[in-house]
Amino acid sequence: MAVQKDFSVDCVVFGYHEDELKVLLIEQRMPETSAGKEKRYALPGDLVQDNEDLDDSASRVLKELTSVELENAYLKQFYTFGNPKRVKGLRDQQWLRSFRQDPDARVITVAYYSLVKMEDYNPVAASFASETVWMNVDEVPALAFDHNTIFDKALATLREKIKYYPIGFHLLPKKFTLSQLQHLNEVISGEELDKRNFRRKVQKLPYIIPLEEKQKGVFHKPARLHVYDERFKE
Amino acid sequence: MAVQKDFSVDCVVFGYHEDELKVLLIEQRMPETSAGKEKRYALPGDLVQDNEDLDDSASRVLKELTSVELENAYLKQFYTFGNPKRVKGLRDQQWLRSFRQDPDARVITVAYYSLVKMEDYNPVAASFASETVWMNVDEVPALAFDHNTIFDKALATLREKIKYYPIGFHLLPKKFTLSQLQHLNEVISGEELDKRNFRRKVQKLPYIIPLEEKQKGVFHKPARLHVYDERFKE
DNA sequence: GCAAAAGTGTTTCCGATACACCCATGA
DNA sequence: TCATGGGTGTATCGGAAACACTTTTGC
C-alpha cells in the first residue's frame, strides 16, 4: 500500500513595527503526554481542505489567525517543500499523533508569504495554537517541522523581490511618511540610504502620492503624509 | 472518506534553436476507446514517488525524457498548481482512467522549468507518451490538464528572471558567439538591442570568457567564440 | 568582387552618489 | 530654548543610449 499523502499550506506573515521587521509565529500547543514541555513555535498553516484551492487555503489560514477580513492582504505563493522527512522529527511526530488524522502521511506544503499592516492586525489564537507572537526576524528560534527552512526562504524571497518591486507599502500604514518608508527599505535590504537621494527618487515615482495632511502629536517637525496608489498593486 | 490525494511534478523544458525559443512537449498517447483521436500534447511530468524528494522527481522526469545523464541541467521549481478542477476535463479523465491507479485523486503539481542546450539533447519517447517535439513557444497548442497555465507562468518566470540574472547561457552551446547571445536575449525579452552597446556590456562581465578560437565553415567573417564561466552558476 | 555577418569609438544624456544646513513642533 | 526628526539643492561620476563604417570570409 502506497504512503498516504496530504497537502498543507504554511504562511510566513511579515509585519513592521518600530523600525523592525517581524514575523508572525504561533505557539504550538503540545500534547499533555509530550516529553519536552517548553514552548515551541511554528508558522501558521493548515491542511488544504478537499475541494479548496491553494490560494483560498492560505487566505483562510490568514483569516483564522486574525479573525479579521483582510480583503486586500498581500499574499503570494513562493515555494513548495516536499522533503519526505520534513515532518518526521520526534516532536513533530508527537504533535502529529495528537492533532492529525493521518500522522504518518507524507505532507508537502505550499508556502506563502504575506505582508500586512500590523496596526490593522489583531491576531488571535487559532484552535490548534495557544498563542501568537510577532517575532523579530533576527530572533526567530528553532521552529517545528522544516519551518526554519521555509522562513529563511521567505525572507530571502522578500529581500530579492523588494530590490526591484515596490511591495514594501503593504507593511506600512495607509498613510506614511517618507522617513518611515526609508527606514523600512533600510531594514529589509540591510543598507543605509541617503535621505535626500531617497526622497528625490521616491517623489518621482508615480504611485507615491503626497497628501496635504501632516503628522500630528509628534515631538518634532511633523512630516508630510503620503499614500501608495493601490492601482499599481502588482 | 476524504478525497484521495496525489503529488506530481511537471517540467517546462526550454531550448533555443535557430533564433527561436522552444519548449519540449510530449504527445499524449490516448486510450484506444477515446472519443477524439487527434493528437494532444502535454508537458512532461509524472507522479512523485514515495520517499522521493520533489527536485529528484523533476530530475528523473527530465532524465527519462532524454535517456541522457544531464549532470548539470538548470532545473528550478517555480510554482505549484493545485486547483481542485485541474485534472477534471473530459479528455483528462479519459487519460487518467487508462493510465493512473487513482484517476479520481486530487493531484497538485509542482512545476519546474529547465533550460537545456538543445544540441546535447536527444529526447526519446517515455513509456506514457508516443513522441516528443520541440515546439516554438509562440505556437504552443491547447495542452492537456492545466498545462497551458503552467507553461504561460513558466515563460513569464523565465522572462522575468532573465531581466536580472544571466541564465540564458544554459540554452546556448558551450562555445557561443556574442551575436548568438544577443539574439537569444532579444528573443526572450522581445526587445531589440544595440550591437555595440550589448558587446561592450557583455565583455565587461567577469563570467563571459573569450576564446582564441573562431567559428569555422561560415559564409562570412568568422566570429570569436566565448564560454560562460560555470563557476558563476547562480 | 560581392554577399553576409563580425567587429569597433565617441558623444550625449540621465540617473546615482556624495554632501550640510535650516525648519517646525512639543516639552 | 532645546531636542528631535523633517525637509531641501548642487556638483560630480559613471553607466546607458544613440549612431555608421570597415573587416573577414566563402562563394
Side-chain angles (χ1 to χ4, degrees):
Chain A
M1 166 72 189
V3 172
Q4 186 69 20
K5 291 168 187 147
D6 237 327
F7 319 137
S8 65
V9 293
D10 284 304
C11 295
V12 182
V13 183
F14 291 102
Y16 180 72
H17 190 56
E18 290 177 348
D19 290 353
E20 297 197 325
L21 188 63
K22 310 278 189 181
V23 62
L24 188 65
L25 300 177
I26 62 175
E27 191 178 323
Q28 205 178 38
R29 187 212 290 155
M30 287 305 276
E32 299 306 317
T33 57
S34 170
K37 284 286 179 98
E38 336 79 73
K39 288 184 182 185
R40 196 164 75 138
Y41 291 97
L43 295 172
D46 197 9
L47 293 179
V48 177
Q49 295 175 356
D50 292 351
N51 227 28
E52 183 182 44
D53 206 345
L54 299 176
D55 288 359
D56 295 337
S57 187
S59 296
R60 175 173 57 78
V61 166
L62 205 56
K63 200 168 118 188
E64 282 174 358
L65 268 179
T66 59
S67 62
V68 163
E69 201 68 46
L70 292 175
E71 62 294 346
N72 287 323
Y74 183 94
L75 179 65
K76 300 280 183 208
Q77 183 191 314
F78 71 96
Y79 206 73
T80 296
F81 298 83
N83 189 300
K85 304 230 181 325
R86 59 176 291 279
V87 299
K88 301 303 184 197
L90 176 61
R91 297 194 67 190
D92 299 328
Q93 284 290 304
Q94 287 173 346
W95 187 87
L96 290 168
R97 281 179 207 296
S98 296
F99 296 104
R100 284 275 174 86
Q101 278 204 309
D102 291 309
D104 295 318
R106 174 169 178 191
V107 183
I108 72 176
T109 196
V110 182
Y112 285 74
Y113 73 100
S114 177
L115 307 180
V116 303
K117 302 181 194 308
M118 268 178 70
E119 87 280 4
D120 290 355
Y121 218 71
N122 181 26
V124 297
S127 58
F128 47 84
S130 41
E131 207 189 339
T132 64
V133 292
W134 285 105
M135 196 83 77
N136 195 314
V137 293
D138 298 325
E139 295 161 5
V140 170
L143 303 175
F145 308 114
D146 57 350
H147 286 187
N148 288 96
T149 307
I150 296 175
F151 166 73
D152 290 345
K153 182 133 189 151
L155 186 55
T157 303
L158 172 61
R159 290 198 163 126
E160 195 58 35
K161 182 128 185 183
I162 217 158
K163 273 198 227 169
Y164 307 114
Y165 305 97
I167 55 174
F169 307 103
H170 299 284
L171 292 164
L172 291 176
K174 273 214 179 69
K175 299 175 181 180
F176 54 86
T177 70
L178 295 186
S179 293
Q180 287 176 313
L181 183 57
Q182 182 178 343
H183 288 136
L184 170 63
N185 276 274
E186 289 173 343
V187 167
I188 296 181
S189 75
E191 287 170 14
E192 296 241 319
L193 300 168
D194 179 86
K195 182 159 63 154
R196 278 169 294 189
N197 295 336
F198 179 80
R199 298 168 93 89
R200 194 188 2 261
K201 194 165 59 176
V202 161
Q203 284 164 2
K204 211 176 310 188
L205 299 175
Y207 46 83
I208 307 258
I209 318 287
L211 303 175
E212 290 312 312
E213 209 175 332
K214 293 190 169 178
Q215 270 185 320
K216 272 182 199 155
V218 286
F219 193 51
H220 51 76
K221 175 170 174 177
R224 187 164 187 179
L225 295 173
H226 294 70
V227 293
Y228 170 59
D229 187 340
E230 294 284 342
R231 286 174 304 178
F232 280 80
K233 183 163 38 181
E234 202 211 356
Chain B
M1 168 71 191
V3 172
Q4 185 70 20
K5 292 167 187 145
D6 238 325
F7 318 137
S8 65
V9 292
D10 285 302
C11 295
V12 183
V13 183
F14 290 102
Y16 180 71
H17 190 55
E18 290 178 347
D19 289 356
E20 296 197 326
L21 188 62
K22 310 277 190 182
V23 61
L24 188 64
L25 300 178
I26 62 175
E27 190 178 324
Q28 206 177 39
R29 186 212 292 156
M30 287 304 278
E32 300 305 317
T33 58
S34 170
K37 286 285 178 97
E38 334 80 73
K39 289 184 181 184
R40 197 164 76 139
Y41 290 98
L43 295 171
D46 198 9
L47 294 179
V48 177
Q49 295 174 355
D50 292 350
N51 227 28
E52 182 183 43
D53 207 345
L54 299 177
D55 288 359
D56 295 336
S57 188
S59 296
R60 175 174 56 81
V61 166
L62 205 54
K63 202 167 118 189
E64 283 174 357
L65 268 179
T66 58
S67 62
V68 164
E69 202 68 46
L70 292 175
E71 63 292 351
N72 287 323
Y74 182 94
L75 179 64
K76 301 281 182 206
Q77 184 193 314
F78 72 95
Y79 206 73
T80 295
F81 298 84
N83 189 300
K85 303 229 181 321
R86 58 176 291 280
V87 299
K88 300 304 182 197
L90 176 60
R91 298 193 67 189
D92 299 328
Q93 284 291 304
Q94 286 173 348
W95 187 87
L96 290 168
R97 279 177 209 297
S98 297
F99 296 103
R100 285 275 173 86
Q101 279 204 307
D102 291 308
D104 295 317
R106 176 170 177 190
V107 182
I108 71 176
T109 196
V110 182
Y112 285 74
Y113 73 101
S114 178
L115 306 180
V116 303
K117 302 183 195 306
M118 267 179 70
E119 86 281 3
D120 289 357
Y121 218 71
N122 180 24
V124 297
S127 59
F128 46 83
S130 39
E131 207 189 338
T132 65
V133 291
W134 285 104
M135 195 83 77
N136 194 314
V137 293
D138 297 326
E139 294 160 7
V140 170
L143 303 175
F145 308 115
D146 57 349
H147 287 187
N148 288 96
T149 308
I150 296 174
F151 166 72
D152 290 345
K153 183 133 189 152
L155 186 55
T157 303
L158 172 60
R159 290 199 162 127
E160 196 57 36
K161 182 127 185 183
I162 217 159
K163 274 198 224 169
Y164 307 113
Y165 305 97
I167 55 174
F169 308 103
H170 299 283
L171 292 165
L172 291 175
K174 275 215 180 68
K175 299 176 181 179
F176 53 87
T177 70
L178 296 187
S179 292
Q180 288 175 314
L181 183 56
Q182 181 178 343
H183 288 136
L184 171 63
N185 276 275
E186 289 173 342
V187 167
I188 296 181
S189 74
E191 286 169 15
E192 295 242 320
L193 299 169
D194 178 87
K195 183 160 62 154
R196 277 169 294 188
N197 293 337
F198 179 79
R199 296 168 94 89
R200 191 184 9 258
K201 194 164 60 177
V202 160
Q203 284 164 1
K204 211 176 310 186
L205 299 175
Y207 45 83
I208 305 259
I209 318 289
L211 304 175
E212 290 311 315
E213 209 174 333
K214 294 192 169 178
Q215 270 185 319
K216 272 182 199 152
V218 287
F219 193 52
H220 51 76
K221 178 170 175 177
R224 188 163 187 181
L225 295 172
H226 294 71
V227 293
Y228 170 60
D229 187 341
E230 294 284 342
R231 286 174 304 177
F232 280 80
K233 186 163 40 182
E234 201 211 1

